[in-house]
Amino acid sequence: MSVRQTIKRHYKIISLLRLRPMSYEEVQDMMADDPDAVEEDLFSSQRTFQRDIKDIETIHKIEIKCNRSTKKYAIVEDVEETHSQRLRENFDLLNAIRLSKSFGNQLIFEERKPLGTHHLAGLLHASQNFLEVAFEYHKFWDTSVSTRKVKPIALKEARNRWYLIAEDTKDDIIKNFSLDRIQKLEITKEKFKHIEYQAYEEFKNSFGIINGTNEDPVKVILSFTPREGRYVESLPLHHSQKLILNNEKEIRFSYFIRPTYDFRMEILSYGDQVKVVEPKALQTQIKKELQSSISNYK
């Protein structure tokens, strides 16, 4: 059996056991109802299944145990890292795309421009090998085009876009460049020294891609309507999100975050379904922005 089949089988087992505990036979029966699993021949003997369980814990950091009385397997500890989870999700998406071509037009994508992800591999190679890159950059705010030469540091995803974090050789300032605005990318042979910049730490308390402001992270409490709160609970706004109140009238979450422009825009996008409880300064700022928005209709 190929490595590709083994990886796919691992992902199928994880996905099935996240639904509910299952016996070995139930897992095989569920796979028999899955066109992708049938086509890829992901069935296994019980001995191979046991080996898969051990490999899943080692590779994916997901512990699976068997209840001897029920003979059902269940996930007992799930500490799958973000990159592994994203890889598995993309694997599932690729399989769904392939199957949709075979079974009709049931997979409907959101219409949008390309995200520039074809630059990811080249920029990752450049950052790992300390190679400067050059490109044309088409700004968001106007139609101007500039030629840039930068020292790539990291790649960050924010709000369904990918960004290059890099030091601009023109002024030695660390900036963010949206990949979908980059054209004519060239990886040069010019080397640069390691840049002391911890990208994860810099963005840990930020929302989206705006960083480098003078705003310090603060405790923020948002009150949502029960309907919207359940949605936010399932798709957290930020990794620091904590549920602090849940009743029939409201659902409250606390955050430790910089109240930057893009975070305020996210709050405003919820309209009357959200209220800033604290801090007072953010509440006042949101009020001003709402009033300014209303004034556009006078």
Side-chain angles (χ1 to χ4, degrees), residues 167-183:
E167 183 182 282
D168 198 327
T169 58
K170 180 177 66 176
D171 51 21
D172 299 328
I173 295 176
I174 292 173
K175 302 174 183 178
N176 308 319
F177 302 92
S178 180
L179 264 59
D180 63 340
R181 297 285 166 164
I182 291 176
Q183 292 186 16

Side-chain angles (χ1 to χ4, degrees), residues 135-151:
F135 52 82
E136 282 187 359
Y137 194 66
H138 297 245
K139 289 185 179 179
F140 276 113
W141 316 118
D142 53 44
T143 57
S144 65
V145 180
S146 58
T147 301
R148 304 295 185 106
K149 194 173 186 181
V150 304
K151 301 171 183 178

Side-chain angles (χ1 to χ4, degrees), residues 5-226:
Q5 282 177 295
T6 301
I7 293 172
K8 290 194 72 171
R9 194 172 64 249
H10 287 178
Y11 287 165
K12 289 293 182 185
I13 293 171
I14 293 168
S15 296
L16 289 172
L17 294 184
R18 277 188 172 145
L19 295 174
R20 58 181 173 83
M22 296 185 190
S23 65
Y24 160 75
E25 291 78 14
E26 287 175 314
V27 169
Q28 301 305 303
D29 288 343
M30 290 290 282
M31 285 193 179
D33 292 331
D34 185 330
D36 182 47
V38 173
E39 185 176 329
E40 293 289 338
D41 190 19
L42 301 184
F43 304 102
S44 64
S45 65
Q46 192 150 13
R47 184 177 179 181
T48 301
F49 183 76
Q50 294 289 345
R51 187 170 64 244
D52 286 337
I53 297 301
K54 293 179 181 178
D55 289 342
I56 286 170
E57 181 174 359
T58 302
I59 298 169
H60 305 281
K61 311 302 180 188
I62 297 174
E63 184 181 359
I64 298 171
K65 294 289 185 183
C66 181
N67 184 318
R68 292 185 178 180
S69 61
T70 63
K71 295 183 179 180
K72 292 190 177 185
Y73 294 83
I75 294 174
V76 294
E77 185 175 2
D78 189 346
V79 290
E80 185 180 28
E81 295 179 351
T82 301
H83 66 272
S84 297
Q85 181 181 350
R86 185 60 59 84
L87 180 62
R88 179 174 52 78
E89 289 172 350
N90 287 340
F91 215 90
D92 290 338
L93 181 57
L94 284 171
N95 287 328
I97 292 170
R98 181 175 56 79
L99 288 169
S100 71
K101 291 179 180 178
S102 302
F103 293 95
N105 197 27
Q106 291 83 19
L107 197 61
I108 302 169
F109 285 91
E110 191 173 41
E111 293 292 333
R112 58 168 172 76
K113 293 182 178 180
L115 299 178
T117 51
H118 56 287
H119 294 312
L120 283 172
L123 289 170
L124 188 60
H125 168 78
S127 65
Q128 289 175 335
N129 292 278
F130 305 104
L131 296 171
E132 293 183 2
V133 299
F135 52 82
E136 282 187 359
Y137 194 66
H138 297 245
K139 289 185 179 179
F140 276 113
W141 316 118
D142 53 44
T143 57
S144 65
V145 180
S146 58
T147 301
R148 304 295 185 106
K149 194 173 186 181
V150 304
K151 301 171 183 178
I153 299 171
L155 293 157
K156 184 182 188 303
E157 186 185 23
R159 306 188 75 184
N160 298 318
R161 273 195 170 96
W162 278 96
Y163 294 84
L164 168 66
I165 303 168
E167 183 182 282
D168 198 327
T169 58
K170 180 177 66 176
D171 51 21
D172 299 328
I173 295 176
I174 292 173
K175 302 174 183 178
N176 308 319
F177 302 92
S178 180
L179 264 59
D180 63 340
R181 297 285 166 164
I182 291 176
Q183 292 186 16
K184 299 181 181 179
L185 176 67
E186 176 192 355
I187 301 171
T188 74
K189 293 183 180 180
E190 295 178 53
K191 302 275 286 187
F192 64 90
K193 293 182 180 179
H194 174 71
I195 299 170
E196 291 295 336
Y197 182 84
Q198 299 298 320
Y200 177 79
E201 289 299 319
E202 288 291 330
F203 284 92
K204 183 173 66 174
N205 297 320
S206 296
F207 180 87
I209 197 65
I210 293 179
N211 193 40
T213 66
N214 295 324
E215 293 157 298
D216 292 323
V218 295
K219 181 181 179 181
V220 174
I221 295 179
L222 300 180
S223 170
F224 290 89
T225 59

